[in-house]
Amino acid sequence: MAVVVAWGVVLAGGVVWSVRNDPPTVAEQRDIGAALPLVERVTGAVLAAADGPDRTVELGALRFDRGCSLTPVREGVEAFRDVVVRVRDDQAAGVLESIAKGLPAGYGAGVRHNAASTRFALHADAGEFVGVDSEVADTSRAVTVTVSTGCRPLSAGVDYAPAPVVPPLGEVPDAFLDALSALKGERVYSGVEVACPDGRVARTFVADNVKGPADLGRALGDVTGGAVVVRADAGEWAYRVGEVSVVVTEGDGVARVAATISCR
């Protein structure tokens, strides 16, 4: 009995040491640091595929979820990045199809729908266990496409709470500043960016906590003249000024302004 107990202790200790110290043996064990460069490349491809003259695009920030576990004794982390596309009424399904067609052929992107053709889902495999997914209803006003890594081992040197970037004023599009001025908001903003497939850099500029107007449409009236209006709802306006996508939302007296220079 003593020998059996001792052998059990040795095996348990070996398992714990192996889990914590052995190098990866299969692709899904690659740590989060190794996956992030691919996430950025895939996000750029998604943004390029999602943009179009009849919709607006918005790039989301890189975010992490440390709530996943690789094993009962080993915590993990998952990384995500979103591209949000505002669409006109009854165009969500068609836009999702166009995004799938615009992604690299190697991703094997496809769109499925339910029997009633009221719900649609996109899935693509970008390789190395990085996925691209979206699900919408036929009545959706926005399509959110998410790039994700799946649960990965933690990696030293990765900033899991990255601070927003503040781009120089000279890089900010006039359409963004015009919308801020229309709402009488201060020029306080942050930005996120990603490399496009052609090497250019796409950026989204965001101003939060702007005082919301009593009538959003009326407040934006002077800056949306001549723009391509995609959404004109009570609490959300989405429009394009040339190649710049602008989205202004308002609720409970607080507005948010976002403008995106995409990969087009």
Side-chain angles (χ1 to χ4, degrees), residues 30-231:
R30 293 173 186 160
D31 65 33
I32 196 69
L36 292 182
L38 180 57
V39 169
E40 294 301 290
R41 292 196 299 272
V42 176
T43 302
V46 170
L47 186 63
D51 201 5
D54 59 346
R55 65 198 77 155
T56 66
V57 292
E58 182 178 340
L59 178 65
L62 179 67
R63 66 187 196 279
F64 297 92
D65 179 5
R66 297 185 61 169
C68 68
S69 297
L70 297 165
T71 71
V73 295
R74 191 180 186 189
E75 67 176 344
V77 61
E78 187 168 7
F80 303 88
R81 199 147 191 203
D82 293 335
V83 174
V84 182
V85 191
R86 265 79 174 189
V87 300
R88 291 170 173 160
D89 291 344
D90 303 320
Q91 290 191 357
V95 167
L96 200 64
E97 290 278 4
S98 73
I99 294 171
K101 292 178 181 177
L103 290 173
Y107 289 11
V111 175
R112 296 183 177 181
H113 58 80
N114 62 1
S117 292
T118 57
R119 296 203 65 84
F120 300 80
L122 176 151
H123 176 71
D125 182 354
E128 299 182 25
F129 295 87
V130 172
V132 179
D133 294 279
S134 181
E135 185 172 345
V136 298
D138 57 346
T139 56
S140 295
R141 300 182 299 179
V143 176
T144 299
V145 185
T146 301
V147 180
S148 60
T149 63
C151 194
R152 306 278 183 135
L154 296 168
S155 177
V158 173
D159 183 359
Y160 296 107
V165 176
V166 181
L169 184 61
E171 297 178 355
V172 181
D174 290 340
F176 176 73
L177 299 177
D178 290 343
L180 269 181
S181 296
L183 300 183
K184 298 179 173 58
E186 297 181 5
R187 292 187 174 185
V188 178
Y189 56 86
S190 60
V192 292
E193 63 183 36
V194 73
C196 299
D198 64 3
R200 290 182 297 165
V201 176
R203 294 183 175 90
T204 291
F205 304 85
V206 178
D208 290 307
N209 299 318
V210 179
K211 183 177 180 181
D215 186 323
L216 185 59
R218 179 174 294 180
L220 295 173
D222 290 339
V223 298
T224 55
V228 177
V229 177
V230 176
R231 304 270 355 148

